[in-house]
Amino acid sequence: MNTNFPDTIYAVQHLAFEDLGALEDLFYQLGFRVRYFEAGVDDLTKAFEHTGLTIILGGPIGVYETEDYPFLQKEIDLLKVRLNKKLPTIGICLGAQLIAHALSAKVYAGHTKEIGWSTLQLPHLSNSILAPLQDTPVLHWHGDTFDLPKNAELLASSNLYPHQAFSVGDHILALQFHIEVAADSLEKWLIGHTCELRKANIDIPSLRKDNEQFAANLEAQSAQIFTAWMAKLTQA
């Protein structure tokens, strides 16, 4: 392990209950500390200038809503500088959309909401970091989508949207789906997103039942993925 690699992971939150989920305990087990920054409240400069890993989490707003949420433009500007410096960055859901936008790809409202558990389509890439997700249902929860940025490598698709994950080099990983969801904490999502769920005619009891069936296995696979990703990152 590179002893010069910072031992604190910074996580940028856009919604209180959309946190690192099951990944937080994993990072502790791997010897890292975690510090959260609240977008729209905290100054995000330190998080985006961090030379260690910064993770940008999800939220219900769109990257194009900068007029209603002015902090987004500052976040995007900081992210562009960070990515240009090739600092290690992971984006999940809104975080992935922000990365795509910062890399000059178009982000826009999709043709339908994608909410629920389903498997991914993984391209046959040698040594794909997402290989453990083969035949593993993941949690989708988004309405926006994005074009694939230039120089990005497509890592996953779904039946509804072709761009579900991509990487750029060894330092950028963008995941449209929620790989971080913890088996024991989805209920707060069901409460917090009740308006969106009802508007999209999502069957809440079925979503809860699917979580009980699939989340524990996803936790195991995501632990495998991020253990490998962090090992590669810290050995650089």
Side-chain angles (χ1 to χ4, degrees):
M1 179 174 175
N2 182 357
T3 56
N4 293 322
F5 192 86
D7 64 358
T8 299
I9 292 171
Y10 288 170
V12 177
Q13 280 187 290
H14 299 89
L15 195 61
F17 57 78
E18 290 199 28
D19 52 25
L20 285 169
L23 296 181
E24 188 163 344
D25 282 343
L26 173 66
F27 290 138
Y28 291 147
Q29 292 166 17
L30 294 175
F32 292 91
R33 296 177 296 174
V34 172
R35 177 179 175 184
Y36 285 97
F37 288 78
E38 292 187 52
V41 177
D42 297 330
D43 183 352
L44 302 182
T45 302
K46 186 173 182 179
F48 281 99
E49 291 181 349
H50 181 45
T51 58
L53 176 60
T54 292
I55 302 176
I56 310 165
L57 295 167
I61 58 179
V63 302
Y64 42 78
E65 295 184 275
T66 53
E67 184 173 340
D68 287 337
Y69 301 98
F71 74 85
L72 272 175
Q73 189 58 58
K74 178 67 179 298
E75 185 172 0
I76 291 166
D77 292 342
L78 289 168
L79 179 56
K80 286 180 179 179
V81 174
R82 178 176 184 83
L83 298 181
N84 189 55
K85 291 181 178 179
K86 298 184 178 181
L87 295 173
T89 309
I90 294 173
I92 297 176
C93 200
L94 172 60
Q97 296 161 15
L98 284 164
I99 289 175
H101 178 73
L103 293 174
S104 301
K106 183 181 179 182
V107 180
Y108 48 96
H111 57 85
T112 186
K113 290 277 188 180
E114 186 174 34
I115 301 176
W117 291 81
S118 65
T119 56
L120 297 164
Q121 299 158 11
L122 304 176
H124 297 291
L125 300 175
S126 60
N127 302 316
S128 172
I129 192 67
L130 298 185
L133 294 181
Q134 185 71 44
D135 300 322
T136 298
V138 300
L139 179 64
H140 303 275
W141 201 308
H142 68 101
D144 287 352
T145 188
F146 51 81
D147 293 338
L148 191 67
K150 183 179 179 181
N151 299 324
E153 185 171 46
L154 181 65
L155 298 179
S157 305
S158 73
N159 289 330
L160 291 178
Y161 289 100
H163 303 143
Q164 285 286 348
F166 66 85
S167 62
V168 179
D170 294 327
H171 60 286
I172 298 174
L173 182 62
L175 308 173
Q176 174 69 85
F177 54 91
H178 289 277
I179 196 172
E180 83 287 6
V181 63
D184 61 357
S185 64
L186 186 71
E187 196 66 28
K188 59 187 180 182
W189 290 49
L190 301 180
I191 297 169
H193 288 306
T194 182
C195 292
E196 179 184 26
L197 291 171
R198 297 192 186 285
K199 187 175 181 180
N201 294 317
I202 302 297
D203 187 313
I204 294 174
S206 293
L207 193 57
R208 183 183 293 113
K209 184 177 180 180
D210 285 346
N211 176 71
E212 294 171 354
Q213 181 177 354
F214 300 127
N217 186 49
L218 178 60
E219 283 189 28
Q221 303 308 317
S222 63
Q224 185 177 343
I225 289 167
F226 282 97
T227 298
W229 203 79
M230 293 304 297
K232 189 174 182 180
L233 190 64
T234 56
Q235 288 169 2

